[in-house]
Amino acid sequence: MSASGAVEPGPLGATAAPSPAPAQPPATGHLFRPISAEDEEQQPTEIESLCMNCYRNGTTRLLLTKIPFFREIIVSSFSCEHCGWNNTEIQSAGRIQDQGVRYTLTVSSVEDMNREVVKTDSATTRIPELDFEIPAFSQKGALTTVEGLINRTISGLEQDQPTRRASEEAVAERIDEFIVKLKELKQVASPFTLIIDDPSGNSFVENPHAPQKDDSLVITHYRRTLQQNETLGLQAEGPEEKLEEEDLRNEVLQFNTNCPECNAPAQTNMKLVQIPHFKEVIIMATICENCGHRTNEVKSGGAVEPLGTRITLHITDLSDMTRDLLKSETCSVEIPELEFELGMAVLGGKFTTLEGLLKDIRELVTKNPFTLGDSSSSGQSEKLQEFSQKLDQIIEGGMKVHFIMNDPAGNSYLQNVYAPEDDPEMKVEHYRRTFDQNEELGLNDMKTEGYEAGLSPQR
């Protein structure tokens, strides 16, 4: 087992200070090109830089690339031909995401050690079984594997061991014992848990079973705390100003933003829409005149419902593809016949048709080179191609399946074409949320009744 192909940062403290030397011109085309071994035009930019070890000139190489199924990153590598010093790191080139993300991976086999991992500067890494934690901003970002993360930790601990043995022998012995435990983890004699918690939302752990659910990997999206926002340099929200009442139902609001693809100035349109036999939703659409990128997002206009909603549709006819569909950010999608599950927050909120959502799922799978590109195994590629073909059969009406939408917040909707009568092919169930579902929605710590009593003595 090896972590070949991983980008491993060197020892901390090595930085490259750019000098005004001329730089090699970047490759033509888009600034951030998808990772591909067949793209001969994708070459790193070389910059002559000052070596912070010997203070002579070395070379910094910058590669601006895009990880499909993820986002843009900048890979930088510095090397000095005079003293041999080198340093490698990655940085996210995208914006800080709206929510933080926490990956909880149960490592139970040697294959799990080869999962690809993107760990940013702001991510905290934990291994609960060893009571071990790498705090945020204590290491540079890395594009590596699970094994590479452990090797990097071992190298960092071994770096100052000779000095510790001379000054603090007892501490050095305890660190040696801990290093042995880390090396035993690489053999996976027993399962252990790896947690990567990134408030910026820009870290990533590979799911080798995509598009199917990975039972060993739990992905949790959460709202950042005020302290986490301050750590990331985000301005805290000030007191809300009272807005004059307006008739938003008959007005399209517009505000300036940046394109998520090319970062050029763009305009987002927002409108409040009433869905018949359901509730009000907010639809936002962005069109970039620079690159032509289009995106739309749907937010629920109401509160979290008292009960969760599970909608099961038996797709029996091609006409089912035209049903209107509202998928909120908290809604997961299942197709049992394909053993497929799409987790919460994936694809975001959407107001589309059933055919549109299935096409988005197919695009999510087929445009991911980690599963269908040159880095994927032949068996995995065949399995995913078969999955894509079955999705095409469903869209064309040639395959009968069950389509399940499960929304703990109760803010998703699938059109009943027989309304107001019951739909014989659709079943709508309302259920009580579990404690874990309430925790993901942030409801367990929310007090909506009796909170004024606790504040009255302070007045």
PDB file of all heavy atoms in Angstrom, residues 213 309-311 326-335 340-346 348 357 361 403-409 412 431 437 440:
ATOM      1  N   LYS A 213     -24.356   4.865  -1.842  1.00  0.00           N
ATOM      2  CA  LYS A 213     -24.044   5.346  -0.504  1.00  0.00           C
ATOM      3  C   LYS A 213     -22.836   4.608   0.052  1.00  0.00           C
ATOM      4  O   LYS A 213     -22.680   3.402  -0.129  1.00  0.00           O
ATOM      5  CB  LYS A 213     -25.264   5.143   0.405  1.00  0.00           C
ATOM      6  CG  LYS A 213     -25.048   5.627   1.827  1.00  0.00           C
ATOM      7  CD  LYS A 213     -26.284   5.376   2.675  1.00  0.00           C
ATOM      8  CE  LYS A 213     -26.056   5.838   4.106  1.00  0.00           C
ATOM      9  NZ  LYS A 213     -27.246   5.582   4.954  1.00  0.00           N
ATOM     10  N   THR A 309     -41.144  14.479   6.173  1.00  0.00           N
ATOM     11  CA  THR A 309     -41.973  13.991   5.060  1.00  0.00           C
ATOM     12  C   THR A 309     -41.191  12.999   4.212  1.00  0.00           C
ATOM     13  O   THR A 309     -40.041  13.259   3.851  1.00  0.00           O
ATOM     14  CB  THR A 309     -42.437  15.164   4.173  1.00  0.00           C
ATOM     15  OG1 THR A 309     -43.147  16.111   4.968  1.00  0.00           O
ATOM     16  CG2 THR A 309     -43.344  14.666   3.051  1.00  0.00           C
ATOM     17  N   ARG A 310     -41.849  11.873   3.903  1.00  0.00           N
ATOM     18  CA  ARG A 310     -41.270  10.884   2.985  1.00  0.00           C
ATOM     19  C   ARG A 310     -42.259  10.665   1.841  1.00  0.00           C
ATOM     20  O   ARG A 310     -43.399  10.257   2.064  1.00  0.00           O
ATOM     21  CB  ARG A 310     -40.984   9.560   3.700  1.00  0.00           C
ATOM     22  CG  ARG A 310     -40.333   8.500   2.786  1.00  0.00           C
ATOM     23  CD  ARG A 310     -40.136   7.175   3.511  1.00  0.00           C
ATOM     24  NE  ARG A 310     -39.177   7.295   4.599  1.00  0.00           N
ATOM     25  CZ  ARG A 310     -39.514   7.319   5.883  1.00  0.00           C
ATOM     26  NH1 ARG A 310     -40.788   7.226   6.245  1.00  0.00           N
ATOM     27  NH2 ARG A 310     -38.596   7.422   6.827  1.00  0.00           N
ATOM     28  N   ILE A 311     -41.833  10.978   0.616  1.00  0.00           N
ATOM     29  CA  ILE A 311     -42.683  10.858  -0.566  1.00  0.00           C
ATOM     30  C   ILE A 311     -42.152   9.716  -1.423  1.00  0.00           C
ATOM     31  O   ILE A 311     -40.982   9.721  -1.814  1.00  0.00           O
ATOM     32  CB  ILE A 311     -42.703  12.163  -1.380  1.00  0.00           C
ATOM     33  CG1 ILE A 311     -43.118  13.346  -0.497  1.00  0.00           C
ATOM     34  CG2 ILE A 311     -43.620  12.030  -2.577  1.00  0.00           C
ATOM     35  CD1 ILE A 311     -43.018  14.689  -1.193  1.00  0.00           C
ATOM     36  N   LEU A 326     -39.863  19.829  -5.987  1.00  0.00           N
ATOM     37  CA  LEU A 326     -39.087  20.742  -5.157  1.00  0.00           C
ATOM     38  C   LEU A 326     -38.253  19.913  -4.185  1.00  0.00           C
ATOM     39  O   LEU A 326     -38.799  19.212  -3.332  1.00  0.00           O
ATOM     40  CB  LEU A 326     -39.993  21.699  -4.375  1.00  0.00           C
ATOM     41  CG  LEU A 326     -39.301  22.559  -3.313  1.00  0.00           C
ATOM     42  CD1 LEU A 326     -38.303  23.498  -3.957  1.00  0.00           C
ATOM     43  CD2 LEU A 326     -40.308  23.332  -2.481  1.00  0.00           C
ATOM     44  N   LYS A 327     -36.943  19.976  -4.363  1.00  0.00           N
ATOM     45  CA  LYS A 327     -36.025  19.272  -3.461  1.00  0.00           C
ATOM     46  C   LYS A 327     -35.296  20.311  -2.619  1.00  0.00           C
ATOM     47  O   LYS A 327     -34.554  21.132  -3.142  1.00  0.00           O
ATOM     48  CB  LYS A 327     -35.011  18.440  -4.255  1.00  0.00           C
ATOM     49  CG  LYS A 327     -33.953  17.771  -3.395  1.00  0.00           C
ATOM     50  CD  LYS A 327     -32.822  17.215  -4.232  1.00  0.00           C
ATOM     51  CE  LYS A 327     -31.667  16.764  -3.384  1.00  0.00           C
ATOM     52  NZ  LYS A 327     -31.058  17.820  -2.569  1.00  0.00           N
ATOM     53  N   SER A 328     -35.522  20.278  -1.317  1.00  0.00           N
ATOM     54  CA  SER A 328     -34.835  21.221  -0.435  1.00  0.00           C
ATOM     55  C   SER A 328     -33.424  20.727  -0.128  1.00  0.00           C
ATOM     56  O   SER A 328     -33.057  19.594  -0.455  1.00  0.00           O
ATOM     57  CB  SER A 328     -35.628  21.405   0.862  1.00  0.00           C
ATOM     58  OG  SER A 328     -35.494  20.261   1.687  1.00  0.00           O
ATOM     59  N   GLU A 329     -32.615  21.571   0.532  1.00  0.00           N
ATOM     60  CA  GLU A 329     -31.238  21.203   0.865  1.00  0.00           C
ATOM     61  C   GLU A 329     -31.177  20.061   1.869  1.00  0.00           C
ATOM     62  O   GLU A 329     -30.178  19.359   1.960  1.00  0.00           O
ATOM     63  CB  GLU A 329     -30.495  22.420   1.433  1.00  0.00           C
ATOM     64  CG  GLU A 329     -30.258  23.520   0.422  1.00  0.00           C
ATOM     65  CD  GLU A 329     -29.541  24.704   1.033  1.00  0.00           C
ATOM     66  OE1 GLU A 329     -29.667  24.906   2.255  1.00  0.00           O
ATOM     67  OE2 GLU A 329     -28.841  25.411   0.290  1.00  0.00           O
ATOM     68  N   THR A 330     -32.254  19.861   2.638  1.00  0.00           N
ATOM     69  CA  THR A 330     -32.257  18.818   3.667  1.00  0.00           C
ATOM     70  C   THR A 330     -32.859  17.510   3.180  1.00  0.00           C
ATOM     71  O   THR A 330     -33.039  16.580   3.968  1.00  0.00           O
ATOM     72  CB  THR A 330     -33.053  19.307   4.894  1.00  0.00           C
ATOM     73  OG1 THR A 330     -34.391  19.652   4.491  1.00  0.00           O
ATOM     74  CG2 THR A 330     -32.381  20.514   5.523  1.00  0.00           C
ATOM     75  N   CYS A 331     -33.174  17.420   1.902  1.00  0.00           N
ATOM     76  CA  CYS A 331     -33.858  16.242   1.356  1.00  0.00           C
ATOM     77  C   CYS A 331     -32.858  15.259   0.751  1.00  0.00           C
ATOM     78  O   CYS A 331     -31.939  15.640   0.019  1.00  0.00           O
ATOM     79  CB  CYS A 331     -34.864  16.682   0.289  1.00  0.00           C
ATOM     80  SG  CYS A 331     -35.749  15.310  -0.493  1.00  0.00           S
ATOM     81  N   SER A 332     -33.029  13.971   1.063  1.00  0.00           N
ATOM     82  CA  SER A 332     -32.237  12.918   0.436  1.00  0.00           C
ATOM     83  C   SER A 332     -33.121  12.177  -0.565  1.00  0.00           C
ATOM     84  O   SER A 332     -34.351  12.156  -0.436  1.00  0.00           O
ATOM     85  CB  SER A 332     -31.694  11.935   1.481  1.00  0.00           C
ATOM     86  OG  SER A 332     -32.757  11.306   2.181  1.00  0.00           O
ATOM     87  N   VAL A 333     -32.496  11.563  -1.571  1.00  0.00           N
ATOM     88  CA  VAL A 333     -33.215  10.875  -2.647  1.00  0.00           C
ATOM     89  C   VAL A 333     -32.735   9.431  -2.720  1.00  0.00           C
ATOM     90  O   VAL A 333     -31.530   9.165  -2.639  1.00  0.00           O
ATOM     91  CB  VAL A 333     -32.981  11.587  -4.007  1.00  0.00           C
ATOM     92  CG1 VAL A 333     -33.626  10.805  -5.141  1.00  0.00           C
ATOM     93  CG2 VAL A 333     -33.531  13.000  -3.963  1.00  0.00           C
ATOM     94  N   GLU A 334     -33.687   8.497  -2.881  1.00  0.00           N
ATOM     95  CA  GLU A 334     -33.342   7.084  -2.986  1.00  0.00           C
ATOM     96  C   GLU A 334     -34.047   6.470  -4.190  1.00  0.00           C
ATOM     97  O   GLU A 334     -35.181   6.836  -4.519  1.00  0.00           O
ATOM     98  CB  GLU A 334     -33.751   6.328  -1.721  1.00  0.00           C
ATOM     99  CG  GLU A 334     -33.081   6.781  -0.441  1.00  0.00           C
ATOM    100  CD  GLU A 334     -33.599   6.015   0.757  1.00  0.00           C
ATOM    101  OE1 GLU A 334     -33.751   4.780   0.646  1.00  0.00           O
ATOM    102  OE2 GLU A 334     -33.876   6.643   1.795  1.00  0.00           O
ATOM    103  N   ILE A 335     -33.354   5.524  -4.840  1.00  0.00           N
ATOM    104  CA  ILE A 335     -33.949   4.675  -5.875  1.00  0.00           C
ATOM    105  C   ILE A 335     -33.570   3.246  -5.498  1.00  0.00           C
ATOM    106  O   ILE A 335     -32.473   2.766  -5.847  1.00  0.00           O
ATOM    107  CB  ILE A 335     -33.441   5.033  -7.289  1.00  0.00           C
ATOM    108  CG1 ILE A 335     -33.694   6.515  -7.590  1.00  0.00           C
ATOM    109  CG2 ILE A 335     -34.131   4.155  -8.335  1.00  0.00           C
ATOM    110  CD1 ILE A 335     -33.176   6.971  -8.943  1.00  0.00           C
ATOM    111  N   PHE A 340     -29.357   3.110  -4.973  1.00  0.00           N
ATOM    112  CA  PHE A 340     -28.786   4.450  -5.058  1.00  0.00           C
ATOM    113  C   PHE A 340     -29.377   5.341  -3.981  1.00  0.00           C
ATOM    114  O   PHE A 340     -30.586   5.298  -3.708  1.00  0.00           O
ATOM    115  CB  PHE A 340     -29.055   5.056  -6.437  1.00  0.00           C
ATOM    116  CG  PHE A 340     -28.706   6.518  -6.539  1.00  0.00           C
ATOM    117  CD1 PHE A 340     -27.391   6.910  -6.656  1.00  0.00           C
ATOM    118  CD2 PHE A 340     -29.699   7.490  -6.490  1.00  0.00           C
ATOM    119  CE1 PHE A 340     -27.060   8.257  -6.739  1.00  0.00           C
ATOM    120  CE2 PHE A 340     -29.379   8.829  -6.567  1.00  0.00           C
ATOM    121  CZ  PHE A 340     -28.054   9.213  -6.700  1.00  0.00           C
ATOM    122  N   GLU A 341     -28.524   6.150  -3.369  1.00  0.00           N
ATOM    123  CA  GLU A 341     -28.985   7.140  -2.391  1.00  0.00           C
ATOM    124  C   GLU A 341     -28.186   8.421  -2.569  1.00  0.00           C
ATOM    125  O   GLU A 341     -26.960   8.395  -2.609  1.00  0.00           O
ATOM    126  CB  GLU A 341     -28.837   6.616  -0.961  1.00  0.00           C
ATOM    127  CG  GLU A 341     -29.289   7.632   0.086  1.00  0.00           C
ATOM    128  CD  GLU A 341     -29.273   7.089   1.499  1.00  0.00           C
ATOM    129  OE1 GLU A 341     -29.149   5.850   1.650  1.00  0.00           O
ATOM    130  OE2 GLU A 341     -29.387   7.889   2.451  1.00  0.00           O
ATOM    131  N   LEU A 342     -28.890   9.535  -2.676  1.00  0.00           N
ATOM    132  CA  LEU A 342     -28.278  10.863  -2.785  1.00  0.00           C
ATOM    133  C   LEU A 342     -28.488  11.573  -1.452  1.00  0.00           C
ATOM    134  O   LEU A 342     -29.622  11.788  -1.029  1.00  0.00           O
ATOM    135  CB  LEU A 342     -28.938  11.655  -3.917  1.00  0.00           C
ATOM    136  CG  LEU A 342     -28.364  13.042  -4.219  1.00  0.00           C
ATOM    137  CD1 LEU A 342     -27.017  12.905  -4.913  1.00  0.00           C
ATOM    138  CD2 LEU A 342     -29.331  13.835  -5.091  1.00  0.00           C
ATOM    139  N   GLY A 343     -27.384  11.893  -0.759  1.00  0.00           N
ATOM    140  CA  GLY A 343     -27.468  12.443   0.584  1.00  0.00           C
ATOM    141  C   GLY A 343     -27.961  13.880   0.611  1.00  0.00           C
ATOM    142  O   GLY A 343     -28.119  14.547  -0.416  1.00  0.00           O
ATOM    143  N   MET A 344     -28.234  14.357   1.820  1.00  0.00           N
ATOM    144  CA  MET A 344     -28.666  15.744   2.011  1.00  0.00           C
ATOM    145  C   MET A 344     -27.566  16.706   1.562  1.00  0.00           C
ATOM    146  O   MET A 344     -26.396  16.391   1.633  1.00  0.00           O
ATOM    147  CB  MET A 344     -29.001  15.997   3.483  1.00  0.00           C
ATOM    148  CG  MET A 344     -30.241  15.283   3.962  1.00  0.00           C
ATOM    149  SD  MET A 344     -30.824  15.918   5.555  1.00  0.00           S
ATOM    150  CE  MET A 344     -29.407  15.646   6.577  1.00  0.00           C
ATOM    151  N   ALA A 345     -27.968  17.868   1.106  1.00  0.00           N
ATOM    152  CA  ALA A 345     -27.093  18.975   0.696  1.00  0.00           C
ATOM    153  C   ALA A 345     -26.430  18.740  -0.660  1.00  0.00           C
ATOM    154  O   ALA A 345     -25.899  19.666  -1.251  1.00  0.00           O
ATOM    155  CB  ALA A 345     -26.022  19.275   1.743  1.00  0.00           C
ATOM    156  N   VAL A 346     -26.433  17.485  -1.183  1.00  0.00           N
ATOM    157  CA  VAL A 346     -25.874  17.239  -2.511  1.00  0.00           C
ATOM    158  C   VAL A 346     -26.846  17.793  -3.557  1.00  0.00           C
ATOM    159  O   VAL A 346     -28.050  17.589  -3.474  1.00  0.00           O
ATOM    160  CB  VAL A 346     -25.637  15.735  -2.742  1.00  0.00           C
ATOM    161  CG1 VAL A 346     -25.039  15.497  -4.123  1.00  0.00           C
ATOM    162  CG2 VAL A 346     -24.738  15.169  -1.663  1.00  0.00           C
ATOM    163  N   GLY A 348     -27.855  20.646  -3.694  1.00  0.00           N
ATOM    164  CA  GLY A 348     -28.501  21.817  -3.116  1.00  0.00           C
ATOM    165  C   GLY A 348     -30.010  21.784  -3.297  1.00  0.00           C
ATOM    166  O   GLY A 348     -30.622  20.749  -3.562  1.00  0.00           O
ATOM    167  N   LEU A 357     -34.212  16.399 -12.414  1.00  0.00           N
ATOM    168  CA  LEU A 357     -33.414  15.941 -11.274  1.00  0.00           C
ATOM    169  C   LEU A 357     -32.639  14.682 -11.630  1.00  0.00           C
ATOM    170  O   LEU A 357     -31.466  14.538 -11.265  1.00  0.00           O
ATOM    171  CB  LEU A 357     -34.316  15.692 -10.071  1.00  0.00           C
ATOM    172  CG  LEU A 357     -33.600  15.277  -8.790  1.00  0.00           C
ATOM    173  CD1 LEU A 357     -32.648  16.368  -8.325  1.00  0.00           C
ATOM    174  CD2 LEU A 357     -34.605  14.937  -7.681  1.00  0.00           C
ATOM    175  N   ILE A 361     -28.552  14.095 -11.603  1.00  0.00           N
ATOM    176  CA  ILE A 361     -27.875  12.972 -10.928  1.00  0.00           C
ATOM    177  C   ILE A 361     -26.951  12.262 -11.902  1.00  0.00           C
ATOM    178  O   ILE A 361     -25.816  11.912 -11.566  1.00  0.00           O
ATOM    179  CB  ILE A 361     -28.918  12.004 -10.347  1.00  0.00           C
ATOM    180  CG1 ILE A 361     -29.690  12.676  -9.205  1.00  0.00           C
ATOM    181  CG2 ILE A 361     -28.254  10.725  -9.850  1.00  0.00           C
ATOM    182  CD1 ILE A 361     -30.844  11.853  -8.676  1.00  0.00           C
ATOM    183  N   PHE A 403     -39.216   6.002  -6.654  1.00  0.00           N
ATOM    184  CA  PHE A 403     -38.442   7.216  -6.413  1.00  0.00           C
ATOM    185  C   PHE A 403     -38.860   7.762  -5.049  1.00  0.00           C
ATOM    186  O   PHE A 403     -40.030   8.092  -4.839  1.00  0.00           O
ATOM    187  CB  PHE A 403     -38.710   8.232  -7.526  1.00  0.00           C
ATOM    188  CG  PHE A 403     -37.965   9.529  -7.394  1.00  0.00           C
ATOM    189  CD1 PHE A 403     -36.655   9.638  -7.821  1.00  0.00           C
ATOM    190  CD2 PHE A 403     -38.581  10.649  -6.827  1.00  0.00           C
ATOM    191  CE1 PHE A 403     -35.977  10.842  -7.704  1.00  0.00           C
ATOM    192  CE2 PHE A 403     -37.911  11.841  -6.708  1.00  0.00           C
ATOM    193  CZ  PHE A 403     -36.598  11.939  -7.143  1.00  0.00           C
ATOM    194  N   ILE A 404     -37.910   7.854  -4.112  1.00  0.00           N
ATOM    195  CA  ILE A 404     -38.226   8.224  -2.728  1.00  0.00           C
ATOM    196  C   ILE A 404     -37.523   9.529  -2.367  1.00  0.00           C
ATOM    197  O   ILE A 404     -36.306   9.659  -2.546  1.00  0.00           O
ATOM    198  CB  ILE A 404     -37.803   7.112  -1.738  1.00  0.00           C
ATOM    199  CG1 ILE A 404     -38.480   5.779  -2.101  1.00  0.00           C
ATOM    200  CG2 ILE A 404     -38.152   7.503  -0.303  1.00  0.00           C
ATOM    201  CD1 ILE A 404     -38.006   4.605  -1.275  1.00  0.00           C
ATOM    202  N   MET A 405     -38.294  10.489  -1.861  1.00  0.00           N
ATOM    203  CA  MET A 405     -37.743  11.742  -1.333  1.00  0.00           C
ATOM    204  C   MET A 405     -37.999  11.767   0.172  1.00  0.00           C
ATOM    205  O   MET A 405     -39.151  11.691   0.605  1.00  0.00           O
ATOM    206  CB  MET A 405     -38.397  12.955  -2.005  1.00  0.00           C
ATOM    207  CG  MET A 405     -38.181  13.030  -3.500  1.00  0.00           C
ATOM    208  SD  MET A 405     -39.122  14.388  -4.251  1.00  0.00           S
ATOM    209  CE  MET A 405     -38.390  15.805  -3.444  1.00  0.00           C
ATOM    210  N   ASN A 406     -36.918  11.873   0.950  1.00  0.00           N
ATOM    211  CA  ASN A 406     -37.025  11.854   2.409  1.00  0.00           C
ATOM    212  C   ASN A 406     -36.478  13.163   2.952  1.00  0.00           C
ATOM    213  O   ASN A 406     -35.278  13.425   2.882  1.00  0.00           O
ATOM    214  CB  ASN A 406     -36.248  10.663   2.974  1.00  0.00           C
ATOM    215  CG  ASN A 406     -36.482  10.485   4.469  1.00  0.00           C
ATOM    216  OD1 ASN A 406     -37.229  11.237   5.086  1.00  0.00           O
ATOM    217  ND2 ASN A 406     -35.846   9.493   5.055  1.00  0.00           N
ATOM    218  N   ASP A 407     -37.360  14.016   3.475  1.00  0.00           N
ATOM    219  CA  ASP A 407     -36.967  15.340   3.963  1.00  0.00           C
ATOM    220  C   ASP A 407     -37.354  15.482   5.437  1.00  0.00           C
ATOM    221  O   ASP A 407     -38.527  15.664   5.764  1.00  0.00           O
ATOM    222  CB  ASP A 407     -37.651  16.429   3.133  1.00  0.00           C
ATOM    223  CG  ASP A 407     -37.130  17.820   3.469  1.00  0.00           C
ATOM    224  OD1 ASP A 407     -36.284  17.926   4.372  1.00  0.00           O
ATOM    225  OD2 ASP A 407     -37.568  18.789   2.817  1.00  0.00           O
ATOM    226  N   PRO A 408     -36.371  15.414   6.344  1.00  0.00           N
ATOM    227  CA  PRO A 408     -36.691  15.571   7.775  1.00  0.00           C
ATOM    228  C   PRO A 408     -37.317  16.927   8.096  1.00  0.00           C
ATOM    229  O   PRO A 408     -38.072  17.043   9.057  1.00  0.00           O
ATOM    230  CB  PRO A 408     -35.325  15.415   8.456  1.00  0.00           C
ATOM    231  CG  PRO A 408     -34.471  14.699   7.471  1.00  0.00           C
ATOM    232  CD  PRO A 408     -34.945  15.125   6.129  1.00  0.00           C
ATOM    233  N   ALA A 409     -36.996  17.968   7.299  1.00  0.00           N
ATOM    234  CA  ALA A 409     -37.551  19.300   7.560  1.00  0.00           C
ATOM    235  C   ALA A 409     -38.962  19.463   6.992  1.00  0.00           C
ATOM    236  O   ALA A 409     -39.643  20.451   7.303  1.00  0.00           O
ATOM    237  CB  ALA A 409     -36.642  20.377   6.975  1.00  0.00           C
ATOM    238  N   SER A 412     -39.963  19.559   1.204  1.00  0.00           N
ATOM    239  CA  SER A 412     -39.857  19.100  -0.184  1.00  0.00           C
ATOM    240  C   SER A 412     -41.242  18.730  -0.720  1.00  0.00           C
ATOM    241  O   SER A 412     -42.185  18.491   0.048  1.00  0.00           O
ATOM    242  CB  SER A 412     -38.903  17.900  -0.275  1.00  0.00           C
ATOM    243  OG  SER A 412     -37.585  18.295   0.013  1.00  0.00           O
ATOM    244  N   TYR A 431     -43.661  11.684   9.504  1.00  0.00           N
ATOM    245  CA  TYR A 431     -43.081  10.922  10.605  1.00  0.00           C
ATOM    246  C   TYR A 431     -42.390  11.858  11.593  1.00  0.00           C
ATOM    247  O   TYR A 431     -42.036  12.998  11.272  1.00  0.00           O
ATOM    248  CB  TYR A 431     -42.069   9.907  10.059  1.00  0.00           C
ATOM    249  CG  TYR A 431     -40.905  10.519   9.322  1.00  0.00           C
ATOM    250  CD1 TYR A 431     -39.737  10.894   9.995  1.00  0.00           C
ATOM    251  CD2 TYR A 431     -40.950  10.736   7.943  1.00  0.00           C
ATOM    252  CE1 TYR A 431     -38.669  11.466   9.318  1.00  0.00           C
ATOM    253  CE2 TYR A 431     -39.894  11.307   7.264  1.00  0.00           C
ATOM    254  CZ  TYR A 431     -38.753  11.666   7.957  1.00  0.00           C
ATOM    255  OH  TYR A 431     -37.693  12.233   7.298  1.00  0.00           O
ATOM    256  N   GLN A 437     -31.627  13.392  13.537  1.00  0.00           N
ATOM    257  CA  GLN A 437     -32.143  14.276  12.492  1.00  0.00           C
ATOM    258  C   GLN A 437     -32.382  15.681  13.036  1.00  0.00           C
ATOM    259  O   GLN A 437     -32.087  16.680  12.368  1.00  0.00           O
ATOM    260  CB  GLN A 437     -33.436  13.695  11.918  1.00  0.00           C
ATOM    261  CG  GLN A 437     -33.215  12.466  11.040  1.00  0.00           C
ATOM    262  CD  GLN A 437     -34.512  11.806  10.626  1.00  0.00           C
ATOM    263  OE1 GLN A 437     -35.503  11.835  11.354  1.00  0.00           O
ATOM    264  NE2 GLN A 437     -34.519  11.192   9.447  1.00  0.00           N
ATOM    265  N   GLU A 440     -29.016  17.429  13.265  1.00  0.00           N
ATOM    266  CA  GLU A 440     -28.517  17.943  11.984  1.00  0.00           C
ATOM    267  C   GLU A 440     -29.240  19.223  11.581  1.00  0.00           C
ATOM    268  O   GLU A 440     -28.653  20.094  10.933  1.00  0.00           O
ATOM    269  CB  GLU A 440     -28.688  16.884  10.894  1.00  0.00           C
ATOM    270  CG  GLU A 440     -27.742  15.691  11.051  1.00  0.00           C
ATOM    271  CD  GLU A 440     -27.880  14.718   9.896  1.00  0.00           C
ATOM    272  OE1 GLU A 440     -28.747  14.948   9.030  1.00  0.00           O
ATOM    273  OE2 GLU A 440     -27.123  13.735   9.872  1.00  0.00           O
TER     274      GLU A 440
END
